[in-house]
Structures are given as C-alpha cells and as structure tokens.
C-alpha cells in the first residue's frame, strides 16, 4: 500500500466510532482469536528461517497488518488466507525498517534482534514514546550489545552491525521485560555458543515464541521460567505453527459479561493463561467454571468490590487487564483499589470513565474506585488499546448510549469487536463519525 493510501485509510479509521446502547445482559458463547502479542514476535521470527513459515490463528488486527508491512518491505513474500499467514523469507532485499513503519507500532522493536541475527546489520528508527508513557528500550539495547551487536544511535535511528555471528552471553535482566526477552531469544537462536537469560519474562507469549523457534531448529529450554537457556545453532528453517489464544481478549469478554449481569462461555481460551485474572473476577461475585479450553462466567446480581489489584509480570495480574477490570469495579457495591506497577501512564481511561459517572481517584500508581449504582452513556475517547476496551465494558453496562471515538486504538487488538459483541446480544454498531 502506498503511503498516501495508508494515510487516507488512517483518516477514515480515525473518525470511526462505536455506538453502544447499554443495559443488555450479554449471553452466549464466543471463541477467542489468536494472540496479538504472540503474533508480532512470531512474524518477526519468520525472518530467521530463510524459507517459508506458516502461522495459523493469526488475528486480523491493525498491529498484525503493520508487522506484515514490515516483512513485505524487507522483501518477504507474505500471503494471508483467513487466519493463516504464509511468510517466505528466502529473499530479503532490505536490512532497514523505515521510520513510518516503525512508528505504526511501538512493539516493532522486536524486529531488531531478528534482522540483526539474519543479516548482520540493520538500521531502524527509535520507536519513541507511546500512549502508555515513555517505554524505554534500554534493556533491549544492552542485551543485544551483550550478544556482540554494535549499536550506534544516530539522530533517532539505531545503526546496528555485527562482524560475523552474534555471540552467546549470560544476560541478567533488571526487569523481566517481555519485549527484551523476545529480542534476546530472536538474536541468540543463531548466535555462536550458549546464551542464558536470567530474570526472563515468563509470559505465555514467550513460550509460544520459543516453541516456534524450536520447531524451526532452535535449541531453547526453560521458556516460561525465569532462566532460559539458548544453545545457538548455525541456521534455522521455516516451520508451521498455531498462535496461542489471546488471553487479554478472553479476559475482556469475561468483563463485558460480568459488567452487564450476563452469562458467557468463552471458548478457545487457555484458563491457565488467565489464572491471575480469574480470582479477581470471582472476588466481584462472578461464578466461574473452567474447562480444558473454555471459561464459563455467570455474573452476580450486584458486583462486589475487590480488595487490591496489583499489576505484576506473569503469572501476576496483567497490566493489560487492569483497565477492563476497573470498569467492572466502577459498578461494585464498595471501594476497590488498583496499583499499576508496570506502566507509569496507564490510567488515561479514568478521565473517560468519569464522564460516564464513575468515581475514581488516581494518585501516582494507585487508583481508588468507589463503586456507583449506575454509569451513564456519554461521548468518550479510546485513549489506548486496553483503555478503549474498558470504555466498551462500561458502555455495555451503562444506561443510555455511549459513543466511543478514536477506536483505531481498539482495532489494534480486537478483531471486529462489534461483531463479536453483537453475537452475545449487545447493541453495538460501528459508524463513521
Ligand atoms: C508487552 C506487551 C504489552 C504488555 C507488556 C507488559 C507486546 C507487543 N506488548 O509490552 O501488551 O502490556 O508486555 O506485560 O507483547 N522497560 C524498560 N526498558 C526496556 C523495556 C521495558 O524500562 O528496555 C519497562 C517498560 O517501560 C515497562 C516495563 O519495563 O515499564 C514492562 O515492559 P515490557 O515487559 O518490555 O513490555 P513490552 O514488551 O513493551
């Protein structure tokens, strides 16, 4: 797609809105699509294979499209058919990622490790800040430097080069960063010698990436634990892989049902992946039963407050579920407390929820939610992806009509959310603004 065409599309997307008529208890079954946060590093990982890889259950999301555009720019042949994406990476023609493609998605920094490992050099623009705060990449850069990559910062660009192969090293992360752990896995898979990651991120998406890389011929053990060992191999080949279900999308649908006094069966979810969230939903009075790949939730007549929700690295309560769960507690019979430990600017949805009548006070990392009897429909802006999801949860439960604008944020992570919600009885429409 040409730049001008893309800008035009973006302009259209920017003015679309979701109109929600609230107050309908959701009920029914819904299947969860593949995980955005797995698909992005998996697409980057295909670069290492030097042949064709096939990813199934790859969601149709704007962030995934952005990753595909980066692959196409690099010279890969990419074809999508339904939720299957085939990537042929045998002929790469570029080693850089232009600034406009980098800016589309902050997490494109994960391409750094993959391109550097495959081509021995890359030039990408600094991803910069985002709606959640500054989001530094110091851990990514220091880790890749430890593997022998020379990185020069040049007016907003990172010029990276290695003479020969990267070299295995022991890397102790100061914080278990998901993205930095992924970048190390990608860079170290074909490095010379063994790499050890200490204090690695343990998210399910890390395991998914390691499993794909192992299917491509890598030798990674310990993924999902705090110490990961990567024995570098000379070359990887392509592989076929099915992306894990999106645990945050699953949690969001559970919140939608809980907020509306509904009853839902969420299918194609791995209950263990949301084990940090389910006890919090139970505290609100929801009844929950888990199957092998499903979660059933029945909401109580009146939601109860939760004592304290502290966002933590996996297996703790995920920061990505903080906003949707906060919308639930806005309607609880009492006071709930949230402590956001992962991102410094992740309460932007609070001001929007206040427009709907929520009573929430924020001081630094802490948000105190005093439940109200009723939320009222209002015009609100999605401030970021999960903040936008929180407004949908609130809008579904509110009295009257809620109009959510800036929904391009929501489309980054939820595949046609209005269609999914309508299948559960919700009155939601996507309209031009
Ligand atoms: C990933 C997820 C995001 C989720 C987050 C935390 C993707 C595409 N995104 O983001 O949805 O909210 O994990 O679970 O998978 N940090 C540094 N220096 C660094 C890297 C990170 O200080 O070099 C800090 C960040 O500013 C943040 C914290 O570490 O405060 C967590 O970041 P990280 O785990 O890296 O999140 P992402 O990989 O960006």
């Amino acid at each position: 797609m040409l730049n001008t065409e893309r800008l035009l599309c973006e302009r259209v997307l920017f003015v679309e809105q979701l109109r929600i008529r609230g107050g309908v208890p959701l009920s029914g079954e819904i299947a969860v699509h593949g995980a955005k946060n797995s698909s992005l590093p998996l697409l980057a990982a295909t670069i290492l294979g030097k042949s064709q890889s096939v990813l199934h259950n790859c969601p149709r999301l704007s962030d995934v499209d952005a990753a595909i555009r980066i692959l196409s720019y690099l010279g890969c042949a990419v074809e999508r058919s339904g939720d299957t994406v085939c990537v042929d990476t045998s002929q790469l023609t570029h080693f850089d990622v232009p600034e406009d493609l980098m800016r589309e998605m902050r997490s494109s920094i994960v391409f750094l490790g993959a391109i550097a490992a495959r081509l021995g050099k890359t030039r990408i623009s600094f991803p910069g800040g985002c709606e959640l705060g500054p989001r530094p990449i110091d851990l990514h850069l220091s880790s890749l430097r430890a593997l022998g990559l020379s990185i020069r910062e040049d007016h907003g660009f990172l010029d990276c080069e290695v003479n020969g192969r990267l070299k295995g090293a022991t890397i102790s992360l100061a914080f278990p960063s998901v993205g930095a752990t992924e970048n190390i896995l990608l860079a170290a898979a074909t490095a010379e010698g063994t790499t050890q990651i200490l204090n690695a991120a343990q998210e399910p998406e890390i395991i998914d990436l390691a499993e794909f890389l192992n299917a491509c011929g890598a030798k990674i053990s310990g993924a999902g634990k705090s110490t990961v060992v990567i024995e570098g191999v000379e070359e990887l080949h392509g592989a076929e892989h099915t992306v894990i279900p999106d645990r945050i999308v699953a949690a969001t649908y559970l919140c939608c049902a809980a907020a509306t006094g509904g009853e839902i069966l969420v299918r194609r979810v791995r209950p263990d992946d949301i084990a940090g969230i389910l006890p919090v939903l139970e505290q609100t009075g929801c009844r929950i039963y888990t199957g092998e790949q499903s979660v059933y939730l029945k909401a109580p007549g009146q939601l109860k407050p939760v004592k304290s929700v502290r966002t933590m690295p996996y297996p703790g309560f995920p920061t990505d579920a903080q906003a949707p769960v906060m919308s639930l507690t806005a309607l609880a019979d009492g006071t709930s407390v949230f402590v956001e430990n992962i991102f410094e600017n992740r309460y932007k949805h609070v001001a929007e929820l206040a427009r709907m009548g929520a009573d929430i006070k924020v001081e630094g990392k802490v948000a105190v939610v005093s439940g109200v009897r009723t939320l009222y429909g209002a015009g609100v802006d999605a401030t970021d992806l999960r903040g936008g999801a929180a407004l949908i949860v609130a809008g579904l439960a509110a009295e009257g009509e809620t109009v959510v604008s800036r929904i391009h944020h929501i489309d980054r992570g939820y595949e046609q959310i209005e269609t999914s919600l309508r299948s559960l009885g919700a009155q939601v429409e996507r309209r031009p603004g």
Side-chain angles (χ1 to χ4, degrees), residues 36-41 63 105-110 130 132-143 173-182 201 203 205-206 247-248 312-314 317-321 340-346 385-386 412:
K36 168 181 87 74
N37 288 354
S38 254
S39 302
L40 304 178
D63 267 11
M105 181 179 58
R106 191 260 175 207
S107 40
S108 44
I109 188 68
V110 81
C130 79
L132 303 183
R135 292 188 93 161
I137 54 165
D138 54 318
L139 299 173
H140 297 246
L141 301 186
S142 59
S143 305
L173 290 173
F175 181 88
S177 155
V178 176
T181 303
E182 290 165 349
E203 270 68 1
E205 293 77 16
I206 301 288
R247 59 198 168 102
I248 305 300
M312 301 289 253
Y314 192 85
F317 185 93
T319 173
D320 287 351
E340 174 54 58
N341 290 309
I342 308 294
F343 289 107
E344 55 186 75
N345 198 4
R346 207 158 198 187
L385 168 56
R386 307 303 170 188
R412 288 182 42 220

XYZ file of all heavy atoms in Angstrom, residues 36-41 63 105-110 130 132-143 173-182 201 203 205-206 247-248 312-314 317-321 340-346 385-386 412, ligand 1:
512
model
N -2.466 -11.288 19.775
C -1.690 -10.223 19.120
C -0.239 -10.258 19.596
O 0.686 -10.203 18.796
C -2.311 -8.860 19.459
C -1.439 -7.674 19.086
C -2.075 -6.353 19.450
C -1.816 -5.877 20.853
N -0.466 -5.355 21.115
N -0.073 -10.354 20.916
C 1.282 -10.227 21.456
C 2.175 -11.431 21.165
O 3.381 -11.387 21.412
C 1.229 -9.961 22.968
C 0.731 -8.555 23.260
O 0.544 -7.756 22.341
N 0.512 -8.257 24.532
N 1.552 -12.527 20.675
C 2.350 -13.653 20.194
C 2.627 -13.483 18.711
O 3.727 -13.759 18.229
C 1.583 -14.960 20.373
O 2.099 -15.703 21.419
N 1.604 -13.041 17.987
C 1.729 -12.966 16.524
C 2.871 -12.044 16.101
O 3.582 -12.338 15.135
C 0.428 -12.448 15.907
O -0.632 -13.276 16.274
N 3.051 -10.927 16.821
C 4.058 -9.949 16.389
C 5.478 -10.523 16.466
O 6.196 -10.518 15.457
C 3.924 -8.647 17.185
C 2.529 -8.019 17.123
C 2.452 -6.760 17.978
C 2.136 -7.687 15.690
N 5.918 -11.053 17.621
C 7.253 -11.662 17.630
C 7.360 -12.894 16.729
O 8.420 -13.157 16.168
C 7.491 -12.027 19.104
C 6.181 -11.924 19.771
C 5.339 -10.974 18.974
N -2.317 -4.051 14.169
C -0.912 -4.248 14.566
C -0.273 -5.397 13.784
O 0.900 -5.349 13.432
C -0.807 -4.541 16.072
C -0.566 -3.266 16.876
O -0.690 -2.164 16.308
O -0.240 -3.378 18.084
N 3.763 0.983 15.042
C 3.599 0.044 16.150
C 4.864 0.042 16.985
O 5.927 -0.315 16.508
C 3.371 -1.338 15.553
C 3.157 -2.394 16.540
S 2.881 -3.943 15.712
C 4.353 -4.158 14.745
N 4.737 0.413 18.224
C 5.903 0.556 19.089
C 6.636 -0.779 19.257
O 7.844 -0.846 19.328
C 5.442 1.126 20.435
C 6.539 1.571 21.332
C 6.833 0.535 22.378
N 7.982 0.913 23.181
C 8.750 0.011 23.784
N 8.484 -1.264 23.673
N 9.770 0.407 24.500
N 5.863 -1.865 19.265
C 6.498 -3.160 19.522
C 7.283 -3.688 18.321
O 7.837 -4.780 18.389
C 5.479 -4.176 20.001
O 4.291 -4.040 19.289
N 7.357 -2.911 17.237
C 8.167 -3.360 16.093
C 9.656 -3.409 16.450
O 10.452 -3.920 15.665
C 7.919 -2.482 14.866
O 7.904 -1.144 15.235
N 10.020 -2.942 17.636
C 11.412 -3.049 18.097
C 11.847 -4.526 18.125
O 13.038 -4.837 18.074
C 11.569 -2.391 19.497
C 13.040 -2.312 19.924
C 10.758 -3.072 20.563
C 13.871 -1.388 19.125
N 10.887 -5.439 18.163
C 11.211 -6.867 18.215
C 11.837 -7.342 16.888
O 12.485 -8.394 16.833
C 9.949 -7.676 18.614
C 9.025 -7.921 17.451
C 10.314 -8.964 19.304
N 4.957 6.269 23.725
C 3.645 5.836 23.262
C 2.629 6.277 24.288
O 2.962 6.930 25.261
C 3.613 4.330 23.070
S 3.431 3.451 24.614
N 1.265 4.863 26.623
C 1.391 4.348 27.997
C 2.545 4.988 28.767
O 2.859 4.593 29.870
C 1.613 2.827 27.985
C 0.556 1.990 27.277
C 0.872 0.519 27.404
C -0.823 2.284 27.832
N 3.222 5.963 28.149
C 4.363 6.577 28.819
C 5.598 6.456 27.951
O 5.496 6.118 26.768
N 6.782 6.694 28.501
C 7.991 6.759 27.668
C 8.421 5.424 27.044
O 8.964 5.402 25.968
C 9.066 7.273 28.639
C 8.484 7.265 30.001
C 7.010 7.027 29.897
N 8.160 4.313 27.649
C 8.543 2.966 27.162
C 9.971 2.903 26.634
O 10.209 2.799 25.422
C 7.558 2.484 26.098
C 6.201 2.228 26.691
C 5.273 1.586 25.728
N 5.279 0.153 25.814
C 4.291 -0.618 25.341
N 3.275 -0.076 24.760
N 4.355 -1.909 25.450
N 10.940 2.965 27.520
C 12.338 2.902 27.088
C 12.695 1.537 26.492
O 11.954 0.563 26.681
C 13.112 3.132 28.392
C 12.167 2.785 29.483
C 10.785 3.034 28.973
N 13.811 1.489 25.753
C 14.256 0.206 25.171
C 15.682 -0.116 25.625
O 16.389 -0.870 24.972
C 14.158 0.194 23.628
C 14.909 1.381 23.018
C 12.718 0.165 23.179
C 15.153 1.216 21.527
N 16.078 0.498 26.752
C 17.450 0.288 27.230
C 17.777 -1.192 27.444
O 18.891 -1.646 27.142
C 17.695 1.086 28.523
C 16.645 0.770 29.586
O 15.449 0.675 29.236
O 17.022 0.594 30.758
N 16.809 -1.989 27.937
C 17.090 -3.402 28.199
C 17.286 -4.177 26.895
O 18.109 -5.086 26.816
C 15.962 -4.037 29.022
C 15.726 -3.427 30.410
C 14.488 -4.020 31.064
C 16.956 -3.657 31.299
N 16.530 -3.784 25.862
C 16.704 -4.421 24.549
C 18.132 -4.145 24.059
O 18.845 -5.053 23.610
C 15.745 -3.823 23.509
C 14.294 -4.022 23.805
N 13.484 -4.798 23.025
C 13.495 -3.525 24.788
C 12.241 -4.769 23.499
N 12.229 -3.999 24.575
N 18.520 -2.864 24.150
C 19.808 -2.482 23.562
C 20.980 -3.074 24.342
O 21.922 -3.605 23.746
C 19.927 -0.945 23.495
C 18.829 -0.243 22.666
C 19.119 1.242 22.529
C 18.664 -0.879 21.289
N 20.915 -3.021 25.684
C 22.058 -3.547 26.450
C 22.167 -5.068 26.243
O 23.277 -5.609 26.164
C 21.946 -3.195 27.934
O 20.755 -3.716 28.453
N 21.019 -5.747 26.105
C 21.063 -7.205 25.905
C 21.673 -7.547 24.550
O 22.510 -8.452 24.438
C 19.657 -7.795 25.968
O 19.032 -7.442 27.161
N 18.444 -9.690 33.279
C 17.572 -8.534 33.048
C 17.230 -7.854 34.379
O 16.839 -8.532 35.338
C 16.287 -8.977 32.341
C 16.448 -9.415 30.876
C 15.131 -9.988 30.338
C 16.907 -8.249 30.006
N 17.321 -6.538 34.414
C 16.984 -5.795 35.630
C 15.476 -5.881 35.898
O 15.028 -5.768 37.037
C 17.407 -4.340 35.472
N 14.699 -6.072 34.833
C 13.243 -6.235 34.939
C 12.852 -7.283 33.895
O 13.419 -7.282 32.796
C 12.555 -4.890 34.636
C 11.052 -4.955 34.746
C 10.417 -4.730 35.956
C 10.273 -5.280 33.638
C 9.028 -4.823 36.064
C 8.888 -5.379 33.744
C 8.266 -5.137 34.960
N 11.909 -8.181 34.210
C 11.579 -9.234 33.225
C 10.752 -8.687 32.054
O 9.574 -8.974 31.910
C 10.785 -10.250 34.055
C 10.205 -9.466 35.178
C 11.151 -8.341 35.475
N 11.403 -7.873 31.233
C 10.722 -7.242 30.091
C 10.334 -8.298 29.052
O 11.171 -9.113 28.640
C 11.653 -6.206 29.466
O 11.328 -6.002 28.108
N 9.074 -8.245 28.619
C 8.589 -9.196 27.616
C 9.332 -8.973 26.305
O 9.912 -9.897 25.716
C 7.061 -9.018 27.410
C 6.548 -9.914 26.305
C 6.319 -9.290 28.712
N 9.333 -7.728 25.833
C 9.952 -7.425 24.540
C 11.450 -7.714 24.532
O 11.985 -8.253 23.548
N 12.134 -7.368 25.628
C 13.590 -7.601 25.666
C 13.870 -9.108 25.655
O 14.774 -9.576 24.950
C 14.200 -6.946 26.902
N 13.071 -9.880 26.408
C 13.255 -11.339 26.409
C 13.062 -11.882 24.990
O 13.828 -12.736 24.519
C 12.264 -12.013 27.395
O 12.465 -11.452 28.694
C 12.460 -13.513 27.459
N 12.047 -11.366 24.285
C 11.799 -11.834 22.910
C 12.962 -11.466 21.985
O 13.414 -12.285 21.174
C 10.482 -11.223 22.390
C 9.276 -11.823 23.090
C 7.981 -11.050 22.922
O 8.008 -9.897 22.418
O 6.935 -11.568 23.307
N 11.290 -12.765 31.199
C 9.828 -12.700 31.271
C 9.284 -14.119 31.110
O 9.871 -14.939 30.396
C 9.291 -11.796 30.175
N 5.866 -14.814 30.396
C 4.530 -14.754 29.781
C 4.308 -15.929 28.816
O 5.266 -16.418 28.196
C 4.400 -13.432 29.009
C 3.860 -12.243 29.794
C 4.770 -11.714 30.898
O 5.880 -12.234 31.090
O 4.349 -10.767 31.587
N 3.327 -15.828 25.919
C 3.783 -15.450 24.571
C 5.273 -15.768 24.389
O 5.730 -16.000 23.264
C 3.536 -13.951 24.330
C 2.048 -13.566 24.255
C 1.338 -13.493 25.602
O 2.024 -13.443 26.645
O 0.080 -13.502 25.613
N 6.027 -15.803 25.497
C 7.453 -16.161 25.423
C 7.566 -17.657 25.087
O 8.370 -18.064 24.253
C 8.169 -15.877 26.776
C 8.060 -14.401 27.152
C 9.616 -16.373 26.765
C 8.882 -13.454 26.336
N -5.149 -14.077 25.556
C -5.666 -14.151 26.934
C -6.322 -12.827 27.350
O -7.239 -12.806 28.175
C -4.550 -14.561 27.910
C -3.370 -13.637 27.950
C -2.140 -14.291 28.566
N -0.960 -13.467 28.315
C -0.405 -12.667 29.199
N -0.914 -12.587 30.406
N 0.663 -11.952 28.882
N -5.867 -11.706 26.792
C -6.452 -10.426 27.217
C -7.811 -10.219 26.552
O -8.741 -9.678 27.155
C -5.488 -9.258 26.915
C -4.112 -9.527 27.561
C -6.080 -7.934 27.399
C -4.120 -9.686 29.079
N 1.358 -7.053 37.824
C 2.682 -7.665 38.010
C 3.063 -8.404 36.739
O 2.190 -8.782 35.961
C 2.617 -8.716 39.130
C 2.192 -8.209 40.465
S 3.460 -7.195 41.179
C 4.051 -8.270 42.415
N 4.358 -8.689 36.562
C 4.726 -9.581 35.461
C 4.045 -10.942 35.651
O 3.702 -11.310 36.776
C 6.255 -9.716 35.610
C 6.687 -8.548 36.428
C 5.531 -8.235 37.339
N 3.876 -11.684 34.556
C 3.250 -13.010 34.605
C 4.018 -13.886 35.596
O 5.239 -13.824 35.629
C 3.308 -13.644 33.211
C 2.461 -14.874 33.065
C 1.122 -14.771 32.748
C 3.014 -16.132 33.260
C 0.331 -15.908 32.612
C 2.226 -17.270 33.129
C 0.893 -17.144 32.810
O 0.116 -18.270 32.671
N -1.200 -10.501 38.062
C -2.316 -9.883 37.347
C -1.761 -8.994 36.227
O -0.972 -8.090 36.482
C -3.156 -9.049 38.319
C -4.397 -8.476 37.690
C -5.596 -9.153 37.754
C -4.351 -7.272 36.997
C -6.740 -8.635 37.147
C -5.483 -6.754 36.393
C -6.681 -7.436 36.470
N -2.166 -9.226 34.966
C -1.538 -8.493 33.857
C -1.983 -7.033 33.755
O -3.166 -6.735 33.902
C -1.994 -9.274 32.610
C -3.195 -10.028 33.035
C -3.121 -10.230 34.520
N -1.042 -6.174 33.484
C -1.346 -4.748 33.304
C -2.384 -4.542 32.197
O -3.199 -3.630 32.263
C -0.059 -3.947 33.007
O -0.414 -2.611 32.676
C 0.751 -4.533 31.871
N -2.369 -5.420 31.181
C -3.303 -5.249 30.062
C -4.761 -5.480 30.472
O -5.673 -5.090 29.750
C -2.947 -6.212 28.913
C -1.690 -5.771 28.180
O -1.199 -4.659 28.449
O -1.192 -6.537 27.335
N -4.980 -6.154 31.603
C -6.366 -6.400 32.040
C -6.820 -5.371 33.075
O -7.973 -5.391 33.505
C -6.499 -7.814 32.617
N -0.903 0.109 39.766
C -0.313 -0.179 38.450
C 1.219 -0.136 38.577
O 1.808 0.923 38.748
C -0.803 0.857 37.425
C -0.156 0.775 36.049
C -0.238 -0.595 35.390
O -1.347 -1.095 35.194
O 0.831 -1.174 35.087
N 1.820 -1.323 38.516
C 3.271 -1.418 38.752
C 4.089 -1.519 37.472
O 5.312 -1.524 37.535
C 3.566 -2.675 39.588
C 3.064 -2.537 41.005
O 3.354 -1.539 41.667
N 2.307 -3.511 41.480
N 3.437 -1.665 36.315
C 4.212 -1.935 35.101
C 4.423 -0.676 34.258
O 5.557 -0.384 33.861
C 3.537 -3.034 34.232
C 3.224 -4.275 35.074
C 4.413 -3.393 33.035
C 4.414 -5.039 35.611
N 3.362 0.061 33.969
C 3.500 1.268 33.141
C 3.110 2.496 33.951
O 2.158 2.467 34.728
C 2.632 1.172 31.878
C 3.169 0.176 30.885
C 2.532 -1.037 30.699
C 4.322 0.439 30.157
C 3.029 -1.965 29.792
C 4.829 -0.486 29.254
C 4.186 -1.686 29.069
N 3.840 3.593 33.725
C 3.612 4.755 34.579
C 2.422 5.605 34.148
O 1.960 6.441 34.899
C 4.875 5.617 34.690
C 5.461 6.079 33.394
C 6.778 6.808 33.612
O 7.800 6.150 33.894
O 6.754 8.035 33.492
N 1.936 5.394 32.926
C 0.865 6.273 32.463
C -0.312 5.437 31.963
O -0.759 5.595 30.837
C 1.437 7.135 31.331
C 0.585 8.347 31.070
O -0.391 8.581 31.779
N 0.927 9.104 30.052
N -0.789 4.535 32.833
C -1.806 3.617 32.335
C -3.174 3.826 32.984
O -3.955 2.893 33.114
C -1.335 2.172 32.519
C -1.988 1.302 31.473
C -1.342 0.047 31.161
N -1.873 -0.407 29.872
C -1.616 -1.563 29.328
N -0.820 -2.409 29.918
N -2.128 -1.890 28.160
N -5.240 1.103 23.616
C -5.921 -0.159 23.294
C -6.791 -0.690 24.441
O -7.997 -0.866 24.305
C -4.860 -1.187 22.880
C -5.257 -2.644 22.768
C -6.416 -2.837 21.815
C -4.059 -3.476 22.303
N -6.184 -0.971 25.595
C -6.967 -1.592 26.680
C -7.859 -0.567 27.380
O -8.907 -0.921 27.923
C -6.049 -2.289 27.681
C -5.078 -3.286 27.066
C -5.732 -4.387 26.256
N -4.729 -5.159 25.520
C -5.007 -6.083 24.616
N -6.253 -6.375 24.297
N -4.034 -6.718 23.985
N -6.398 -2.252 17.109
C -5.044 -2.818 17.185
C -5.069 -4.203 17.831
O -4.160 -5.001 17.602
C -4.132 -1.907 18.019
C -3.747 -0.610 17.352
C -2.817 0.179 18.253
N -1.851 -0.723 18.864
C -1.441 -0.660 20.121
N -1.859 0.285 20.916
N -0.575 -1.539 20.591
C 4.446 -6.278 26.273
C 3.071 -6.327 25.654
C 2.127 -5.343 26.348
C 2.129 -5.584 27.839
C 3.554 -5.588 28.393
C 3.635 -5.952 29.864
C 3.571 -6.897 23.362
C 3.535 -6.492 21.936
N 3.171 -5.982 24.262
O 4.952 -4.960 26.033
O 0.822 -5.541 25.819
O 1.402 -4.553 28.467
O 4.358 -6.535 27.668
O 3.066 -7.184 30.085
O 3.882 -8.028 23.686
N 11.098 -1.403 30.164
C 12.268 -0.698 30.354
N 13.281 -0.861 29.457
C 13.177 -1.705 28.408
C 11.985 -2.437 28.218
C 10.953 -2.258 29.125
O 12.388 0.084 31.302
O 14.130 -1.818 27.628
C 9.970 -1.194 31.098
C 8.762 -0.592 30.388
O 8.859 0.812 30.290
C 7.631 -1.031 31.271
C 8.092 -2.416 31.753
O 9.504 -2.454 31.547
O 7.521 -0.170 32.383
C 7.428 -3.577 31.034
O 7.730 -3.508 29.683
P 7.818 -4.804 28.744
O 7.618 -6.041 29.548
O 9.067 -4.683 27.955
O 6.564 -4.588 27.816
P 6.511 -4.662 26.250
O 7.307 -5.817 25.768
O 6.769 -3.331 25.666
